Amino acid sequence: MSAQEIRGAEITFDEFVTATAGRLLRTAVFLVYDRHLAEDLLQTAYERVARKWKRVSGGNPEAYARRVLVNLAIDENKRRARRRDTPVGTVADVERLAGPPPAAGVAGGDLDEVLRALPAKQRAVVVLRYWCDLGEQEIADTLGISRGTVKSHTARAMAALREHMKEGRA
């Protein structure tokens, strides 16, 4: 079921989850770059949507769920910045578990690096604009910011990506 078909349709919460799980999980992965954390955030988002299902089911529940998901991802990025984890083990252990880093130009290895380096809201704007194909007003509504702020976040993020490309790393 597409996003357009969900809007205003009389569906159950279970049908909604089945129809949107793939799209929202991919969005979450792009927002946090961690599959397991993305799954946790999506589950939390679905819990919050379920609590308000009667209110949001008549409108656009996917947009509401996406907004909850983006806010959770931004909060998680802030939490990670405040929390300094102390790794246990050696660098060799981490490299062995993580595998080799992606080679430059292979499956977006460098592009992933620069996207991860973007501030959380800039990354959210880029993901919502170019991955979810939302318009400026929809992004503004999702993030609770003005349309002008969406434009400035997009411009700054794209400038960082262009600078990265100019340096010949992507």
Side-chain angles (χ1 to χ4, degrees):
M1 186 177 280
S2 73
Q4 293 296 334
E5 293 170 331
I6 291 172
R7 231 175 253 163
E10 299 219 6
I11 61 172
T12 66
F13 180 72
D14 290 340
E15 292 170 333
F16 167 73
V17 170
T18 301
T20 60
R23 287 190 299 269
L24 291 176
L25 180 58
R26 285 188 300 271
T27 300
V29 169
F30 278 119
L31 289 170
V32 296
Y33 280 95
D34 180 336
R35 169 80 183 212
H36 300 292
L37 176 59
E39 289 171 351
D40 291 345
L41 294 180
L42 182 58
Q43 181 177 358
T44 302
Y46 278 143
E47 288 172 8
R48 292 184 184 180
V49 170
R51 278 188 244 138
K52 302 203 185 232
W53 182 248
K54 287 186 190 239
R55 185 173 60 92
V56 301
S57 64
N60 189 348
E62 186 170 359
Y64 181 78
R66 192 181 310 107
R67 181 177 185 160
V68 170
L69 185 61
V70 167
N71 288 336
L72 287 169
I74 289 170
D75 290 347
E76 181 61 29
N77 283 330
K78 289 177 185 175
R79 210 173 296 122
R80 282 183 177 179
R82 284 191 307 263
R83 182 181 68 217
R84 300 286 185 238
D85 291 337
T86 306
V88 177
T90 66
V91 174
D93 293 336
V94 173
E95 289 173 353
R96 181 177 44 80
L97 292 172
V106 175
D110 283 339
L111 185 58
D112 284 346
E113 178 184 313
V114 74
L115 283 173
R116 279 190 200 124
L118 290 175
K121 282 201 177 179
Q122 285 182 21
R123 185 172 52 243
V125 167
V126 168
V127 168
L128 292 173
R129 178 71 185 110
Y130 299 106
W131 175 254
C132 296
D133 200 28
L134 298 183
E136 290 171 349
Q137 191 59 51
E138 289 175 302
I139 296 169
D141 293 343
T142 299
L143 296 176
I145 58 179
S146 72
R147 202 166 158 213
T149 304
V150 169
K151 290 179 182 181
S152 65
H153 280 322
T154 302
R156 289 182 187 129
M158 296 310 289
L161 290 171
R162 274 192 295 280
E163 183 63 31
H164 187 75
M165 297 294 282
K166 197 185 318 180
E167 292 173 5
R169 292 186 295 187

